[in-house]
Amino acid sequence: MRRQLRLRRSARGSVTVFVLGLTVAAVGFGGLAVDAWRLLAARRGLSAVADAVATAGANGLDPSSLRAGGARLDPAIARRLALEEFAHQRAMVRDPSVSVAADTNHVGVVLRERVSLSLLGILAGRDDVTVEVHAQAAPLRVP
């Protein structure tokens, strides 16, 4: 009987330590999940905007190419259309930087956005991460 009583006394507080450990782990995983979701949401939003900007730029066809039966881009028109679309889409993302490159065959768009982190920032020693997406579009002549 005395032996059982001693075992019970030595086990006192072990449940508290176990629950405390589980709580810390749950909060940690929750913080990591929030940061991961922030990064994924930023990437998804940037990707949608980059696709829209590249597609708008691919509408900048060279009129003389169309008359000749082709589908070549005018790089200046394509870039202007892409940047105009970016101005319309800018509200969809927080503070992006944009780079548009156009030639006679395609339009390329690169968007970058800095995403602030909470728990991952503490663990990695950084406050934010840059998310970058690329999109490309080309005109297609359909007979």
Side-chain angles (χ1 to χ4, degrees):
M1 184 69 119
R2 282 199 177 270
R3 185 173 177 199
Q4 286 180 343
L5 188 58
R6 256 189 277 150
L7 286 175
R8 283 186 195 158
R9 283 185 187 161
S10 66
R12 259 191 186 165
S14 62
V15 172
T16 304
V17 171
F18 180 73
V19 169
L20 181 64
L22 282 178
T23 303
V24 168
V27 168
F29 283 127
L32 292 175
V34 166
D35 284 342
W37 179 252
R38 272 189 198 154
L39 291 172
L40 288 173
R43 181 166 169 72
R44 186 184 66 206
L46 281 177
S47 182
V49 171
D51 287 343
V53 170
T55 302
N59 288 326
L61 296 172
D62 183 6
S64 62
S65 167
L66 285 174
R67 285 188 211 102
R72 236 178 6 156
L73 289 173
D74 180 342
I77 295 172
R79 182 169 166 68
R80 180 180 54 79
L81 289 173
L83 290 174
E84 285 174 3
E85 181 63 25
F86 176 70
H88 292 321
Q89 297 281 336
R90 190 176 184 96
M92 299 292 289
V93 288
R94 290 197 338 163
D95 189 23
S97 65
V98 64
S99 172
V100 177
D103 61 21
T104 58
N105 296 321
H106 74 279
V107 177
V109 176
V110 179
L111 287 178
R112 291 177 194 87
E113 181 181 2
R114 298 188 70 77
V115 178
S116 61
L117 302 174
S118 55
L119 189 60
L120 276 178
I122 293 169
L123 295 176
R126 298 172 59 182
D127 291 338
D128 52 11
V129 172
T130 300
V131 176
E132 180 177 293
V133 296
H134 300 258
Q136 194 171 28
L140 179 63
R141 177 88 177 169
V142 178

